[in-house]
Amino acid sequence: DGYTIAMDFPINNKTLALMNKLDDITSKYGGRIYLAKDSRMSKDTLFKTEKRLVNLKNFRKKIDTKRKFESAQSSRLGI
């Protein structure tokens, strides 16, 4: 249950700082960030907001023991 909000921002220092604040608000209120749309979320924010992360990491360990499938995003976020 909840709401989805999609926002697009130009990339600059001011909006990157704003997005970090929005990440904090999202985390504070139990929200999540849509990974398919993410290009800059921190590993710390992901671990705070995504409660299903343990399941994903366990699944990856089970099916991809040699880490053949890895993206820049999964490397950045430690998943």
Side-chain angles (χ1 to χ4, degrees):
D1 291 332
Y3 295 96
T4 299
I5 300 171
M7 296 182 271
D8 294 314
F9 297 99
I11 298 175
N12 61 49
N13 290 336
K14 191 173 182 179
T15 56
L16 289 172
L18 170 63
M19 289 169 26
N20 288 334
K21 289 180 183 178
L22 292 173
D23 288 351
D24 291 341
I25 293 167
T26 300
S27 176
K28 179 179 178 181
Y29 290 98
R32 293 187 314 220
I33 297 169
Y34 185 38
L35 288 176
K37 299 289 185 173
D38 169 65
S39 65
R40 37 101 359 236
M41 174 177 36
S42 72
K43 184 178 182 178
D44 185 52
T45 297
L46 176 65
F47 280 80
K48 286 180 185 175
T49 60
E50 187 49 74
K51 307 303 181 214
R52 303 170 297 174
L53 195 56
V54 171
N55 295 336
L56 174 62
K57 290 183 87 164
N58 288 337
F59 178 74
R60 285 199 65 182
K61 281 181 190 176
K62 182 178 176 181
I63 66 160
D64 188 19
T65 57
K66 296 183 181 179
R67 299 291 293 200
K68 290 183 181 182
F69 300 102
E70 193 164 353
S71 66
Q73 182 188 52
S74 66
S75 296
R76 174 175 50 88
L77 296 174
I79 54 176

